[in-house]
Amino acid sequence: MNTMTTETDKPQIKALVDTLGQRARAAAQALALATAEQRNLALREAAKALREGSDAILAANAQDLDSIRGSGKDAAFIDRLTLTTDRVADMATAVEAIADQADPLGRCLATFERPNGLKIERRSVPIGVIAMIYESRPNVGSDAGALCIKSGNAVILRGGSESLHSSRVIVACLARGLKAAGLPEDAVQLVDTRDREAVKLLLHSTESVDLVIPRGGRGLVSLVQKEARVPTLLHLDGNNHSYIHESADITKAVGIVQNAKMRRTGICGATECVVIDRKIADQVLPQLAQELGDCELRGDAAAQQILANMTPATDEDWDTEYLSNIISVKIVEDLQEAITFVQAHSSGHTDAIVAEDHKAAAAFMTAIDSAVVMHNASTQFADGGEFGMGAEIGIATGKMHARGPVGAEQLTSFKYFVFGDGQQRP
């Protein structure tokens, strides 16, 4: 599979990206003027198209899966790439859920009147054109497209090269919804090439793209951080922790961590490290190891004293997002050591504490500087759908503009509307 660019190819790739940007800019202007009813109709018709096109989507996905056979991709990668009848149905349901939400545009965020009689309102408006760059999971294109339609933004999708066949059919379903609502199909476009040069060019498209959102591993995020000239909304890796405090209900704690790790190991909300208070570690760890089944445990010296056959953890383990059946285990003396350890190694995505001591839980949740902090719940709830957003375009781990699950509301900006009656500034 050739994804490298020759000098002969570069003008063609640039022309492709430039055209996508120009068409997206025009579509964004039309979408911003559309009514909420039109945008919601587009989403409901797109959901209908996804359901009716399920067989075509699965056939395209089978082509994608065939293309990586023998490539050495691990089970977690294959799981992220794989679509099933249920997963396609879930995609359609998520699009309908987004349609059912309140309109994020035109909201009056603040209103005030000046002594000179000027009336000022701050209202929510679309961002404009969003470029979404993501890896492997084809359903991300459906979620991103739907959220952008809802929030009045045009979107240019650049999925992983392995999911190109699936992405084509999914985008075609979204286009059917837009057309049925009388909206420009260019509001959702696909960069229909595996050439990596297209990603670089998107990151440089300051005249046509207002925001870039990367969703993938550290390699993709590093590329975006290095190359982007367009503003970015970063979604970093999910090196998430679940801390079992000495006050934890052990049965509850074991169940929570088992779900947080094993429900789906290949998603960014999966727990990658369990931190256990020494006072209860000898009770918790054997039960947890049994419940985790075929998950490999890699522990520090204290954990190895409890489970002698445990793989020793290295310094690298504490900073690794495994996305597979591996979890690291750290034994700590108390709450403060747990906070210090998690704060040092967390990627800022999602971290949880399991505790019956609510004061300790409050201290942990306040001290940990992650986008999502949880008490007595699985980290796999860090998801836009579970937050009532229908879906998400990613989990923003930065602190500017949006943080945590990014839904339609977070894909808006604002501007000021000023109303006068002849006022002139002295």
Side-chain angles (χ1 to χ4, degrees):
M1 183 185 300
N2 180 22
T3 58
M4 302 303 291
T5 308
T6 67
E7 289 302 316
T8 304
D9 294 332
K10 283 186 177 181
Q12 295 177 340
I13 301 300
K14 186 176 188 310
L16 169 65
V17 173
D18 287 348
T19 299
L20 289 171
Q22 293 162 8
R23 291 164 60 179
R25 179 63 66 196
Q29 293 173 352
L31 204 58
L33 296 173
T35 65
E37 290 75 18
Q38 279 181 292
R39 287 180 273 116
N40 290 337
L41 176 60
L43 293 173
R44 293 192 177 95
E45 290 295 323
K48 180 180 176 182
L50 287 167
R51 288 197 174 91
E52 292 176 348
S54 179
D55 289 346
I57 293 170
L58 295 177
N61 187 243
Q63 287 183 274
D64 289 329
L65 291 168
D66 285 342
S67 71
I68 65 166
R69 297 195 193 284
S71 65
K73 299 292 185 183
D74 61 25
F77 182 94
I78 294 171
D79 177 65
R80 291 194 298 274
L81 178 60
T82 300
L83 292 176
T84 64
T85 301
D86 287 344
R87 288 183 182 180
V88 174
D90 288 344
M91 286 165 50
T93 299
V95 173
E96 288 173 332
I98 294 167
D100 290 339
Q101 293 173 0
D103 186 11
L105 299 180
R107 292 173 295 132
C108 184
L109 305 175
T111 181
F112 46 96
E113 186 170 342
R114 301 295 298 147
N116 61 8
L118 286 177
K119 297 178 181 179
I120 303 174
E121 293 182 3
R122 185 165 67 239
R123 298 182 190 172
S124 59
V125 298
I127 291 172
V129 176
I130 294 173
M132 179 73 190
I133 305 171
Y134 56 99
E135 297 176 338
S136 69
R137 291 176 62 186
N139 63 294
V140 172
S142 174
D143 291 348
L147 288 167
C148 286
I149 292 170
K150 181 72 176 184
S151 54
N153 296 293
V155 63
I156 301 172
L157 301 171
R158 206 293 185 175
S161 59
E162 297 86 359
S163 64
L164 185 58
H165 294 99
S166 305
S167 297
R168 284 172 180 159
V169 184
I170 290 168
V171 169
C173 291
L174 297 176
R176 278 181 56 188
L178 288 161
K179 184 176 181 180
L183 296 174
E185 296 175 55
D186 286 344
V188 180
Q189 297 180 88
L190 178 69
V191 182
D192 198 348
T193 176
R194 292 188 172 94
D195 200 304
R196 295 172 185 168
E197 181 72 8
V199 174
K200 182 177 179 180
L201 290 169
L202 270 180
L203 297 174
H204 294 178
S205 298
T206 54
E207 293 186 2
S208 56
V209 176
D210 296 296
L211 179 68
V212 170
I213 304 178
R215 182 168 174 174
R218 288 190 177 183
L220 173 61
V221 174
S222 296
L223 172 67
V224 171
Q225 289 175 315
K226 177 182 177 181
E227 291 285 348
R229 297 176 188 171
V230 177
T232 59
L233 185 63
L234 295 180
H235 169 113
L236 299 184
D237 56 325
N239 187 24
N240 308 318
H241 299 73
S242 290
Y243 166 47
I244 303 176
H245 183 256
E246 64 176 287
S247 70
D249 177 310
I250 293 176
T251 301
K252 182 189 295 182
V254 169
I256 288 172
V257 175
Q258 194 280 338
N259 179 267
K261 179 61 194 177
M262 300 302 291
R263 173 187 166 271
R264 286 190 70 184
T265 59
I267 67 172
C268 63
T271 284
E272 304 291 18
C273 179
V274 59
V275 182
I276 308 174
D277 195 293
R278 185 183 295 275
K279 297 179 183 65
I280 60 171
D282 59 349
Q283 302 173 62
V284 171
L285 196 48
Q287 293 185 42
L288 183 60
Q290 183 175 355
E291 287 299 313
L292 289 174
D294 64 352
C295 183
E296 178 187 343
L297 278 67
R298 298 181 181 178
D300 62 5
Q304 293 171 61
Q305 289 180 354
I306 300 171
L307 292 180
N309 61 345
M310 184 181 294
T311 303
T314 66
D315 289 342
E316 184 180 358
D317 282 304
W318 307 132
D319 297 307
T320 298
E321 181 187 29
Y322 299 113
L323 297 174
S324 63
N325 289 11
I326 305 172
I327 191 169
S328 57
V329 181
K330 174 69 176 177
I331 307 299
V332 295
E333 294 295 334
D334 53 25
L335 173 65
Q336 185 53 56
E337 186 181 348
I339 290 172
T340 300
F341 177 81
V342 173
Q343 190 65 10
H345 298 285
S346 172
S347 61
H349 188 296
T350 301
D351 295 295
I353 179 172
V354 184
E356 297 306 304
D357 183 337
H358 288 258
K359 185 176 180 181
F364 180 90
M365 296 172 80
T366 301
I368 298 302
D369 192 20
S370 293
V372 181
V373 288
M374 296 184 170
H375 178 205
N376 287 348
S378 166
T379 57
Q380 298 225 2
F381 282 109
D383 176 273
E386 296 298 327
F387 276 39
M389 298 176 179
E392 68 185 37
I393 207 166
I395 305 286
T397 50
K399 299 182 182 180
M400 301 302 292
H401 179 69
R403 198 177 192 193
V406 177
E409 182 178 334
Q410 289 73 34
L411 293 177
T412 63
S413 182
F414 60 80
K415 66 182 180 184
Y416 290 92
F417 290 70
V418 181
F419 303 94
D421 187 24
Q423 287 90 336
Q424 296 183 26
R425 184 171 177 175

